[in-house]
């Protein structure tokens, strides 16, 4: 018969302290909420290696898909092409978001079980009409991790820029915007490796990669307008009603990450993944990825 697949998403575990933070009432336009929001933005930017002079943390209500659509609309003009290595389900979703936003995805054939070869990206960038590469750092669908530094180096050498889906990577796998200036934007959510709760997408973007407000073709999804609003009204101000309790939970989750340390968190996840894999193999299940390619 047809082999069955066991798919393990996550991590989505939340600590009781994080859940308790959701019970605190905030009026999102009050003065006591503003420093909370501004502080979370600054901490997220620092966690990604960004500098406030060159980068901005741009939160948006919604899921990771909301942040990815906003980033695509900001980085690409209508009709502009983006190279997307098709490493799994989230690469497919990035392509659909680009296409439905009126941008043009250029799929690059890639394995779903072997790490992406940077050389295939280098060869594809011989096409002068492609200025941007869209890369999924960690394919949630399989656990396959892309070598962000190696692929970024190829993109940088070609004088192009990188859009990173870091949704199931940020907070555990490395991301350093200062070391990789080719990263024009990285998208993530609080409810994966940050161990916060859903309701928010965050884009860490290079300021010089953003167009003028109004170019996105959508007011809701306009990252440049989010930045413009922050600079005019303050970094503690949202344009529209924010998920205030989710932001408070994220503040507590960031405290927990700071106490644990990113590398320690990654090691914990790796240990959990290895234990799960051993247990599954003992039951006679065969993992899709070879052990050496299995992400944490």
């Amino acid at each position: 018969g047809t082999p069955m697949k066991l798919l393990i998403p996550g991590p989505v575990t939340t600590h009781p302290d994080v859940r308790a933070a959701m019970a605190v009432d905030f009026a999102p336009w009050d003065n006591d909420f503003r420093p909370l929001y501004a502080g979370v933005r600054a901490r997220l930017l620092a966690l990604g290696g960004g500098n406030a002079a060159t980068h901005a943390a741009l939160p948006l209500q919604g899921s990771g898909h909301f942040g990815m659509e906003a980033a695509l609309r900001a980085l690409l003009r209508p009709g502009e092409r983006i190279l997307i290595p098709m490493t799994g389900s989230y690469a497919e979703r990035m392509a659909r978001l680009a296409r439905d936003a009126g941008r043009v995805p250029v799929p690059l054939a890639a394995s779903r079980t072997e790490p992406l070869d940077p050389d295939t990206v280098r060869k594809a960038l011989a096409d002068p009409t492609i200025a941007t590469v869209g890369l999924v750092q960690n394919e949630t669908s399989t656990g396959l991790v892309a070598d962000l530094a190696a692929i970024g180096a190829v993109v940088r050498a070609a004088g192009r820029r990188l859009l990173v889906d870091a949704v199931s990577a940020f907070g555990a796998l490395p991301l350093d915007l200062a070391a990789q200036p080719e990263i024009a934007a990285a998208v993530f959510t609080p409810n994966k490796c940050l161990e916060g709760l859903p309701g928010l997408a965050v884009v860490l973007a290079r300021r010089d990669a953003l167009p003028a407000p109004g170019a996105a073709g959508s007011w809701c999804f306009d990252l440049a307008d989010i930045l413009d609003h922050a600079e005019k009204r303050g970094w503690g101000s949202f344009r529209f009603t924010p998920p205030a309790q989710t932001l408070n939970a994220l503040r507590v989750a960031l405290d927990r990450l700071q106490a644990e340390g990113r590398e320690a968190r990654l090691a914990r996840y790796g240990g959990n993944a290895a234990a799960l894999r051993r247990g599954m193999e003992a039951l006679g299940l065969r993992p899709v990825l070879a052990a050496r390619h299995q992400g944490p």
Side-chain angles (χ1 to χ4, degrees):
T2 305
M4 295 181 67
K5 293 180 180 177
L6 178 67
L7 303 177
I8 305 293
V12 290
T13 307
T14 53
H15 189 271
D17 290 352
V18 174
R19 293 196 299 276
M22 291 287 283
V24 181
D25 285 330
F26 281 97
W29 314 120
D30 283 0
N31 287 336
D32 58 349
F33 178 74
R34 288 174 177 269
L36 186 160
Y37 178 38
V40 165
R41 293 175 88 159
R43 292 173 75 180
L44 292 172
L45 188 61
L47 191 57
N51 183 305
T54 53
H55 295 81
L58 305 172
L60 182 73
Q61 301 90 327
S63 68
H65 288 76
F66 286 53
M68 180 53 65
E69 178 171 340
L72 287 161
R73 286 177 174 273
L75 299 183
L76 305 170
R77 298 180 306 278
E80 190 173 343
R81 290 150 64 81
I82 177 170
L83 182 75
I84 303 176
M86 304 306 287
T87 51
S89 300
Y90 284 82
E92 292 174 358
R93 289 170 180 230
M94 189 189 299
R96 174 168 178 175
L97 286 166
R99 189 167 54 248
D100 286 2
R103 279 66 176 168
V104 181
V106 180
L108 175 64
S111 172
R112 289 176 178 243
T113 56
E114 302 273 335
L116 179 65
D117 180 358
D119 203 47
T120 62
V121 177
R122 182 186 63 78
K123 289 174 181 173
L125 289 178
D127 183 340
T129 69
I130 297 172
T132 309
V133 178
L135 181 70
V136 180
Q137 186 177 5
N138 179 70
E139 259 296 349
T140 308
S141 54
T142 60
L144 189 65
V145 179
D147 188 336
L148 183 58
I151 293 159
V154 165
V155 174
R156 186 165 67 248
R160 313 301 168 83
R161 58 191 188 173
L162 195 56
L163 167 58
V164 181
D165 174 341
V167 169
S168 57
F170 190 81
L173 294 173
L175 175 78
D176 189 342
L177 297 173
Q180 294 193 248
E182 72 281 359
I183 298 177
V187 181
F188 61 92
T189 64
N191 53 295
K192 293 289 188 179
C193 301
L194 295 179
E195 299 185 5
L197 288 147
L200 196 68
V202 182
V203 183
L204 301 183
R206 285 186 61 96
R207 289 168 171 268
D208 60 13
L210 298 178
S218 162
W219 187 17
C220 289
F221 289 98
D222 191 341
L223 291 183
D225 193 58
I226 295 174
L227 176 59
D228 185 61
H229 179 92
E231 291 183 323
K232 288 177 178 172
R233 304 287 183 88
W235 291 88
S237 172
F238 251 89
R239 297 179 305 160
F240 317 127
T241 305
Q245 285 75 15
T246 294
L247 275 157
N248 193 41
L250 177 54
R251 176 184 62 81
V252 175
L254 288 171
D255 289 344
R256 293 186 51 77
L257 176 58
Q258 186 174 341
E260 181 176 20
R262 184 191 64 77
E263 291 183 356
R265 177 160 294 185
L266 180 58
R268 172 163 63 86
Y269 289 172
N272 290 346
L276 182 62
R277 184 183 181 100
R278 286 193 301 271
M280 293 295 177
E281 288 174 332
L283 293 172
L285 296 171
R286 190 176 75 253
V288 170
L289 299 189
R292 68 185 183 281
H293 299 325
Q294 179 67 61

